[in-house]
Structure formats: C-alpha cells, structure tokens
Amino acid sequence: MRKITTDNVIIGAGTAGLAAYRAIKSANQEAILIEGGSYGTTCARVGCMPSKLLIAAAEAHHTQSRFSQFGIEINVPTTVNGKKVMARVTTERDRFVGFVLEGVDAIPKEDKIVGYARFIHPHQLMVDDHTEITFNKAIIATGSSPVIPPFLQELGERVIVNDDIFSWQDLPRSVAVFGPGVIGLELGQALHRLNVNVSLFGRDNHIGPISDPVVKNEALTIFKDEMNYIPDAQDIKVVRHADKVHIYFTTSDNTQQKIITVDYVVAATGRTPNVSQLNLPALNIELDQRGVPLFDRHTMQCGNSHIFIAGDANHNVPLLHEAADEGKIAGENAISYPNIEKKLRRSAIGVVFSDPQIAIIGQRFADIKRDQIVIGEVNFGNQGRSRVMLKNKGILRVYADKLTGRLLGAEMIGPDAEHLAHLLSWVHQLNLSVNEILALPFYHPVIEEGLRTALRDAQEKINTLSHSQIAA
C-alpha cells in the first residue's frame, strides 16, 4: 500500500481537471491528478471534435443538393464512401487527442496517478487498492457518461451511445436515434445526410435546447421536412430480431401502431455525472437528489467545505468552455481556501451544429418573466444574404427588458447561428441595451442584418411602450 500526503488532489484529468491542475501549479502548490480512464478529454475523444468532423462530411455531401438551384448541374452522381468518411473522422480525432496527450505527458510523473478514486474520509481517499492519499483540498472533475434508458438496455450490442459512433469503421445502413437533444440532433442529421436511413425519435415535441415556442415550431417544421423525425412518439416498444431492431410506436395524432426496422439504435438520451463510485457520503457534504454535491457556480465550492466540483461532474452546463472556466475557478479557490472568492461567469452561450444551426444566449425564454420583456423577431425566409446563399430558413427572437432596453437573452434557429450567438453573448455580457447595440456597425449584405432587424423590432416595441406611458 502506497501512502501519499498532498495539499490538493484532483479527480479526473479531463478539461476541468487539467484547468484546475494548471491553476494550482501556477501558484506553486502541490497537486495530485488522478485519472481512471483514458487521457484525452471527452471533447477530443468522443464529443465536440469527432462530431464536428462527421458533420463536416455530411455538409460537404449535402451541399450538392442545392447545386441545381444555383444553375449548376452535376453529371456524375456522388456517393458516400462510409469507410473513408470514418477513416478521416478517426485520423483527425486522434490528432486532436494527441494534442491533449502532449499536455498530459508534460505533467511530472509524480503528479499523476492512474486508477479510480473513492473517498474514505473527508481528507482521505483510496485509488483502487494501491494508493491512499491524505489531502487538504479536493476537486471533483470526473466528467459524465451517456445513459441508456431501461427500455433499450435489452438490445445488447444493437444499442449504442453516441461515444460508440466514433469507433465505427464504416457507416451502417439504418439507425434509430432516441433523443433529439443537442447530440441526437447533430448526429442524426449528419448520418441522414451521409445516406444512412435515420429515424429520429422524440417526445412531447421537444427539440434541442429550445424553449421559445415560436422558435421551436420553426425548428420542428424544418427538421420534419428534411428527415424522418417523429417528435411525439408514444407507446414505444423495441424488439431485437437477430441483427435487426423493430421499433413499434404510435403518435399523438395517430393511435395506429407503426413499425420501423433498423440496424442499430443510438441512445442520445442524456448523460449522468460520474460520481456514483466516489463514495461521496464519506465527505459529509450535502448532495442533491441525483447524488451530486450542492455547490456555488461562482466559486465551485461544495457548501462551506474544502471540496470543489467542476465540469460535467456537477451537471450544470456540460460544455467545454464552461468546464475550462469551472476548473480554473475551482483551482484558484482551492489555492486560497478557506478564503473563497466569487468569480465572474461569462454570459451563457450554447450552439447546436445542426443545419440550420440552433443557438441560445443569456436567459432562455422559459426563464424570463414575460411581463417584463419585449421580444424582437426576424424570420430569415426573406433576409437578403440568407436568400442569396439559399440558407433562408429560421427565426431569431431577442428578449429585452421593456423598461431599460437591456438585452436579456435570445433563442434562434437559422444560418450562421454560431456567429450571431457570439455577437449576442458579447453585448449581453457588456450589459448593453438594444439601442446601444443598434448604434454599432452593421455591414451590407450580411446575415447580421437579420439580427439588426430583430433588434429594431424590439426597440420599436420599447418606444411604443414608453410613448403609451407618457400619454397615460
């Protein structure tokens, strides 16, 4: 049995854990980094980067569908070589993972321990059965794992999670994707555009992270027009027959049972924090109903304890840039503990890399008091630059305080949403009003003019309210 004493221990060497380690070491404090799985971060191995590689291939193939509308004729039909598609995804994915591994390799050997940690005391933990560590402060950065719901678990190897897709050497003929959230929507549409027969199953007409009913209805129309998307599947039953899966279901407007047969089922039904094996009760800190420690998102501290939690493990905002920020905050507060400082959190920004893209910044529609806002809107159907590029689909809605005019948030589906989301999140973090944003430059002809249209709509409504109050 090896015994170690250290000032700080970090459980998990993903994005959050590495950020915490760097913060602590920059202050010349001790830190031990524990990792039980593979090095390389979720983003690089099975998340952001490989999924975007698959999406890029899908976009390249899908582009040809618009050629004829531009007057361009293709005389030779294009085909999708699934093996070559997945070979590029794998090669480029491994390249991104390699960059992360280079950083991990640079960490001194004595600062790294391989194995799975479990707490045995508020200031002690065990790594597997080979190392006991006594520590002053601990940072939990164990990430998350995809969940397979019970009704799919009997399908054996015919049910996979999104992580498994990136180990494919070829594309299958057909899949059913359960869960039209961010992951399911991105991967489902990408596979569809790579000539895989895709059926996307949802419930209660939810789609992506959208909460605005107007934006949601637009998104439902767009994706139902393109692919076999069943947003309100009910009475679902899955049965495996040899190497096929039969899916029986009904819908809210048709009680007659339907059946779809596929090669694989992809469970994109959410992820769960990797905390169940940590023996958190040994820490004497308060846990929520999922067994995740209660924490302050501005300090990453669990209660008033010496324990901090960052990244996907806290199940707050499972995004790479948020995990990096949280890891840094956790590391900095571990350094100064017991003197804890609330840190600035950046304006919320989320993007779904579907086509059209979906974006949400600031406060969501569902979280805003309707009687305190005005809503500015633009439909991209007739927006100039969008029509030029044949990308004229979608709606942007911006939410502004009706008294101060301050931008509170926005939800959208439409062209270049990833770029508009950045512009909106920047001005949101600067606390700018709609009028102040409109004073900034807008070029012509660009998609950003659509944003200006929505802002003008909001400002006109603010002006109307002000005039009516003066008249009253």
Side-chain angles (χ1 to χ4, degrees), residues 340-353:
I340 301 298
E341 181 181 346
K342 288 185 178 291
K343 307 288 186 177
L344 173 69
R345 295 303 299 265
R346 308 184 216 210
S347 288
I349 176 174
V351 177
V352 183
F353 291 87

Side-chain angles (χ1 to χ4, degrees), residues 140 142-143 272-281 290-293 309 312-314:
I140 298 170
T142 45
T272 187
N274 295 329
V275 296
S276 62
Q277 304 302 313
L278 293 175
N279 190 30
L280 294 180
R290 300 163 302 181
V292 177
I309 186 167
D312 291 7
N314 63 38

Side-chain angles (χ1 to χ4, degrees), residues 10 12-24 41-43 48 100 139-143 297-300 309-314 316-333 343-346:
I10 303 164
T15 299
L18 290 172
Y21 176 83
R22 288 190 293 268
I24 292 171
T41 79
T42 297
C43 171
C48 320
V100 179
I139 297 172
I140 298 170
T142 45
R297 70 182 303 270
H298 292 281
T299 66
M300 313 316 298
I309 186 167
D312 291 7
N314 63 38
N316 183 26
V317 186
L319 299 169
L320 177 135
H321 65 277
E322 296 284 357
D325 286 350
E326 291 179 0
K328 184 173 184 290
I329 292 171
E332 290 175 347
N333 276 321
K343 307 288 186 177
L344 173 69
R345 295 303 299 265
R346 308 184 216 210

Side-chain angles (χ1 to χ4, degrees), residues 162-238:
N162 56 288
D163 296 12
D164 300 324
I165 288 177
F166 306 114
S167 63
W168 283 348
Q169 295 182 346
D170 198 353
L171 294 172
R173 289 167 295 181
S174 59
V175 299
V177 179
F178 281 87
V182 176
I183 295 172
L185 197 57
E186 287 183 350
L187 295 179
Q189 186 184 45
L191 292 172
H192 164 74
R193 290 185 170 186
L194 288 168
N195 289 349
V196 177
N197 188 350
V198 175
S199 296
L200 178 60
F201 286 86
R203 292 196 178 193
D204 301 322
N205 291 298
H206 292 304
I207 184 164
I210 301 171
S211 71
D212 187 311
V214 175
V215 179
K216 182 174 74 171
N217 288 337
E218 179 76 3
L220 288 171
T221 298
I222 290 171
F223 291 111
K224 286 169 68 177
D225 284 348
E226 177 179 340
M227 56 194 296
N228 186 28
Y229 174 36
I230 306 103
D232 58 344
Q234 300 178 358
D235 304 318
I236 300 171
K237 181 182 178 181
V238 295

Side-chain angles (χ1 to χ4, degrees), residues 101 118 145 213 224 316 318 405 413 436:
L101 295 180
R118 69 185 186 280
S145 299
K224 286 169 68 177
N316 183 26
I413 178 170
E436 289 172 324

Side-chain angles (χ1 to χ4, degrees), residues 8 12 57-58 67 88 90 110 124 140 147 162 193 219 246 250 257 262 302 363 411 437:
N8 302 282
F67 282 179
R88 179 176 186 266
T90 300
E110 61 270 20
Q124 284 185 323
I140 298 170
V147 176
N162 56 288
R193 290 185 170 186
H246 299 321
T250 63
Q257 189 177 67
V262 296
C302 301
Q363 295 183 58
E411 295 193 24
I437 302 170

